[in-house]
Amino acid sequence: MTSLTTGLRKESPGRSRLSPLLRLLILTQLAFNVGFYAVLPFLSEHLGQAIGMAGWLVGFVLGLRTFSQQGLFVVGGALADRYGIRPVVLAGCVLRIAGFGWLGYADETWSVIGAVLLIGFAAALFSPAVESEVARQAVVWEEAGGGSRTRVLALFTVAGQAGAFVGPLLGALLLGVDFRVACLAGAGIFVLVLAGHVWLLPQHIPGRPRTRAGGGLRLLLRNRRFLALCCAYGAYLLAYNQLYLALPDEVERAAGSQAPLAWLFALSSLLVVTAQLPVTRWVGERLELRRSMVAGLLLIAAGFAVVAAARPAGWTGTAGLLPAAGFVVLLTFGQMLVAPVARAWVPDLAEEGRLGLYTGALSSVSGLIVLLGSSASGTLLDAGLPPAVPWLVLAAVPAAAVVLLPRGR
């Protein structure tokens, strides 16, 4: 990876700053999430109330969206390795525009599923291309003495969460008009992203290797340490997905509407924007990668346990929203520890020239876990069990994932 020092520009001996390419990719993550989160947090309510889907079907559709995105990352990553990131990113933007436009007019189950699949596959193209190149440049940053690679990936996370902060607030405003308007606004944002990348994204990135098709997947499937990381990351992502499935139900129960949901999403994003870099710096000085992920998974489990402990009391109003807020805070701090570290770990486990494939596979395996787990979660939440039980079961998922983490680093 030392040939990729073009990804950094030297300011003085021992110091380096981000290149225009790396800054563009980080801003790309910001723009992607503004458009995405203007729609996604409100999809569950739209499917259940406006379209009338059953709880298990809502869970399945949300899981299908995640699987069509995360599950097919391996395809986008392999294509990025083979053809470079520019054509893959541009194709993903075009499909996301079409998917949001379709979703805005979808009013039947088959149509919603088609739109959701298209939206997910669009991200399966552009996200692994962007993420793998950021990870590649983060390694260069580290090798050039700029600091820990995790810091660059934490900055990437901050940009994404800044978009996730603005997106729900924009979506909440647009929902005052119509869900369709929110979808079309999301599509419009991706039109701007597409135009910007046609103009600014390089045709070829110096030093970026391209690989031949085939051969890499067989070696990947034999890489037990990498697959263990994928499974642990999948458990984290399934827990994180409850922001869109379990949390809206809890907010509806406590407040009588989903109006506070946008503010809870904003709280999560604001925490990441303000605390991610200090947390990464503090943890990086004290914990190696595995211990950081262990701490993050246990924090996430504690978030579910907080709601489980409070549910038997049946609190409503402001008091009823406090456990949900505690869940969001603990989940968010867990995310700060898990997400950048998992991405920082991948280059150590990936085969040379296959970083896109491995970055994509990390999300593909976790997407499969979310697809299976989301339907089960939807059924669990609708099963009429004692109120604490579903949240205790969900707490057990990230706690059990701790034992799956590979040893070392």
Side-chain angles (χ1 to χ4, degrees), residues 123-268:
L125 291 179
F126 57 64
S127 288
V130 171
E131 289 179 13
S132 63
E133 190 57 39
V134 170
R136 191 186 311 277
Q137 300 296 339
V139 173
V140 174
W141 165 273
E142 186 174 67
E143 292 178 348
S148 168
R149 72 183 75 170
T150 309
R151 290 181 58 195
V152 177
L153 292 162
L155 183 59
F156 184 73
T157 299
V158 169
Q161 287 301 318
F165 174 77
V166 174
L169 299 179
L170 175 63
L173 291 174
L174 295 173
L175 282 174
V177 182
D178 187 44
F179 181 76
R180 179 177 298 169
V181 174
C183 289
L184 294 179
I189 290 170
F190 278 90
V191 170
L192 297 177
V193 172
L194 175 64
H197 283 69
V198 168
W199 180 257
L200 295 173
L201 198 59
Q203 293 280 353
H204 175 65
I205 300 171
R208 190 184 202 278
R210 294 187 184 181
T211 58
R212 295 181 178 179
L217 186 59
R218 183 175 63 255
L219 292 176
L220 184 152
L221 293 175
R222 295 177 179 174
N223 191 331
R224 294 183 179 179
R225 297 183 71 235
F226 175 73
L227 293 178
L229 176 64
C230 289
C231 290
Y233 189 76
Y236 147 73
L237 192 63
L238 176 60
Y240 186 82
N241 203 52
Q242 301 311 310
L243 285 174
Y244 314 116
L245 187 58
L247 182 63
D249 281 353
E250 177 63 13
V251 170
E252 181 80 31
R253 182 204 64 80
S257 76
Q258 294 199 13
L261 188 61
W263 296 104
L264 290 175
F265 275 97
L267 171 63
S268 175

Side-chain angles (χ1 to χ4, degrees), residues 2 7 11 30 37 74 97-98 125 143 159 173 212 215 231-232 235 238 246 271 299 304 312 328 361 363 377 398 406:
T2 54
E11 287 183 325
L30 170 65
Y37 284 99
V74 65
I97 293 165
L125 291 179
E143 292 178 348
L173 291 174
R212 295 181 178 179
C231 290
L238 176 60
L271 281 173
L299 278 175
F304 286 102
V328 169
S363 295
S377 299

Side-chain angles (χ1 to χ4, degrees), residues 181-378:
V181 174
C183 289
L184 294 179
I189 290 170
F190 278 90
V191 170
L192 297 177
V193 172
L194 175 64
H197 283 69
V198 168
W199 180 257
L200 295 173
L201 198 59
Q203 293 280 353
H204 175 65
I205 300 171
R208 190 184 202 278
R210 294 187 184 181
T211 58
R212 295 181 178 179
L217 186 59
R218 183 175 63 255
L219 292 176
L220 184 152
L221 293 175
R222 295 177 179 174
N223 191 331
R224 294 183 179 179
R225 297 183 71 235
F226 175 73
L227 293 178
L229 176 64
C230 289
C231 290
Y233 189 76
Y236 147 73
L237 192 63
L238 176 60
Y240 186 82
N241 203 52
Q242 301 311 310
L243 285 174
Y244 314 116
L245 187 58
L247 182 63
D249 281 353
E250 177 63 13
V251 170
E252 181 80 31
R253 182 204 64 80
S257 76
Q258 294 199 13
L261 188 61
W263 296 104
L264 290 175
F265 275 97
L267 171 63
S268 175
S269 299
L270 186 61
L271 281 173
V272 175
V273 170
T274 57
Q276 177 71 77
L277 293 177
V279 166
T280 299
R281 188 180 304 113
W282 187 87
V283 170
E285 294 172 354
R286 293 163 175 81
L287 301 177
E288 43 83 28
L289 297 181
R290 187 180 189 278
R291 289 183 178 178
S292 178
M293 287 196 68
V294 167
L297 290 167
L298 292 179
L299 278 175
I300 292 169
F304 286 102
V306 165
V307 180
R311 279 294 280 116
W315 296 331
T316 58
T318 302
L321 288 172
L322 289 177
F327 164 71
V328 169
V329 169
L330 289 169
L331 179 67
T332 301
F333 275 101
Q335 175 196 2
M336 291 185 208
L337 297 179
V338 172
V341 167
R343 295 191 186 102
W345 207 339
V346 172
D348 292 338
L349 303 175
E351 182 187 357
E352 181 67 27
R354 301 281 185 180
L355 185 55
L357 175 66
Y358 278 72
T359 299
L362 176 68
S363 295
S364 291
V365 174
S366 61
L368 178 59
I369 292 171
V370 171
L371 176 62
L372 300 175
S374 289
S375 294
S377 299

